Amino acid sequence: DQQVKQNSPSLSVQEGRISILNCDYTNSMFDYFLWYKKYPAEGPTFLISISSIKDKNEDGRFTVFLNKSAKHLSLHIVPSQPGDSAVYFCAAIPLSNTGKLIFGQGTTLQVKP
Amino acid sequence: EPEVTQTPSHQVTQMGQEVILRCVPISNHLYFYWYRQILGQKVEFLVSFYNNEISEKSEIFDDQFSVERPDGSNFTLKIRSTKLEDSAMYFCASGGGSGRGETQYFGPGTRLLVL
């Protein structure tokens, strides 16, 4: 069974501080992991991805860390801004090579000014 | 910046009716997907489409569902006989590369309500 889990439904952070969003997966047969951000009434927007052969990828304020032994990944946002307030989805691509995404439940991030 | 578009943004239909959800993927993309999100639940994969055929489909994608790329630009999802449980937000996505690790770009979604 290929599952992706985000166990924290919400997170509240002060502007300027670090936001850490977590994600766990239950199957080792994932090829890539991605983070998407979603605002109400919009589709998910790609943020950052990481290959299963890497342990870190950084893009500006966003860094994704992958711990394969723990089957865990996290998204760090530094510094957090009020505009980052949205629902964040962790997603994984299995090795099936069709590119389908398996999503977590999402974590709602609120960044307070 | 190129974007995926979807029409209509909202659709209300009676149970048992057919609906067609339309998507215009990004023009040079080769991989196309439909996902749905029932209120309060995860975004779920429905189907992937490449080279004019389905490359993978989920258990949700039964005989009531079909996809088509009728004219080289549109990508449609048809639900033949809608059920109450088909009420959801339906997202179209497209990707440019081999699919593996390639970013998928999502449309804004169609909110389908089956009464």
Side-chain angles (χ1 to χ4, degrees):
Chain A
D1 185 27
Q2 300 170 327
Q3 284 203 30
V4 177
K5 296 180 181 179
Q6 294 174 256
N7 293 317
S8 298
S10 63
L11 175 68
S12 183
V13 168
Q14 207 66 34
E15 180 180 6
R17 307 295 282 268
I18 184 171
S19 295
I20 300 176
L21 298 123
N22 294 302
C23 178
D24 297 293
Y25 59 97
T26 59
N27 189 308
S28 298
M29 303 300 284
F30 287 128
D31 198 19
Y32 273 83
F33 300 90
L34 304 91
W35 284 94
Y36 280 81
K37 178 169 75 172
K38 186 181 180 303
Y39 294 117
E42 294 184 13
T45 302
F46 171 75
L47 272 179
I48 191 168
S49 65
I50 187 166
S51 163
S52 58
I53 62 172
K54 300 275 181 78
D55 53 22
K56 179 182 174 182
N57 188 27
E58 190 172 351
D59 184 2
R61 297 186 297 116
F62 302 93
T63 303
V64 56
F65 295 92
L66 176 61
N67 182 336
K68 288 183 283 295
S69 60
K71 294 189 175 65
H72 177 84
L73 66 156
S74 60
L75 175 68
H76 292 211
I77 306 173
V78 182
S80 302
Q81 300 172 352
D84 294 330
S85 298
V87 180
Y88 287 77
F89 290 99
C90 169
I93 298 180
L95 288 169
S96 62
N97 205 31
T98 63
K100 76 174 183 185
L101 294 171
I102 297 177
F103 282 89
Q105 303 94 319
T107 297
T108 300
L109 173 66
Q110 183 183 26
V111 180
K112 296 179 179 177
Chain B
E1 185 174 320
E3 59 182 16
V4 177
T5 59
Q6 289 185 245
T7 54
S9 57
H10 295 79
Q11 177 139 11
V12 181
T13 190
Q14 295 290 324
M15 190 170 57
Q17 295 296 304
E18 174 183 285
V19 295
I20 297 176
L21 309 183
R22 301 180 194 279
C23 169
V24 179
I26 294 173
S27 61
N28 61 346
H29 282 182
L30 302 174
Y31 291 78
F32 313 108
Y33 307 86
W34 283 101
Y35 295 84
R36 78 173 185 190
Q37 185 180 28
I38 295 171
L39 189 64
Q41 297 186 23
K42 289 184 178 188
V43 176
E44 302 173 286
F45 167 79
L46 291 177
V47 66
S48 58
F49 191 86
Y50 169 71
N51 200 25
N52 284 320
E53 61 183 22
I54 290 173
S55 47
E56 186 172 358
K57 59 184 180 180
S58 72
E59 292 175 356
I60 303 166
F61 196 89
D62 61 21
D63 291 344
Q64 294 301 312
F65 291 87
S66 62
V67 288
E68 196 177 31
R69 189 156 160 78
D71 56 12
S73 61
N74 290 285
F75 180 49
T76 61
L77 174 69
K78 182 193 291 186
I79 309 175
R80 261 180 275 283
S81 177
T82 50
K83 301 188 277 280
L84 296 176
E85 53 265 37
D86 293 328
S87 295
M89 194 75 165
Y90 287 79
F91 295 106
C92 172
S94 70
S98 67
R100 292 183 64 187
E102 188 70 27
T103 301
Q104 288 180 30
Y105 295 86
F106 283 75
T110 293
R111 184 171 296 283
L112 176 65
L113 178 60
V114 182
L115 301 176

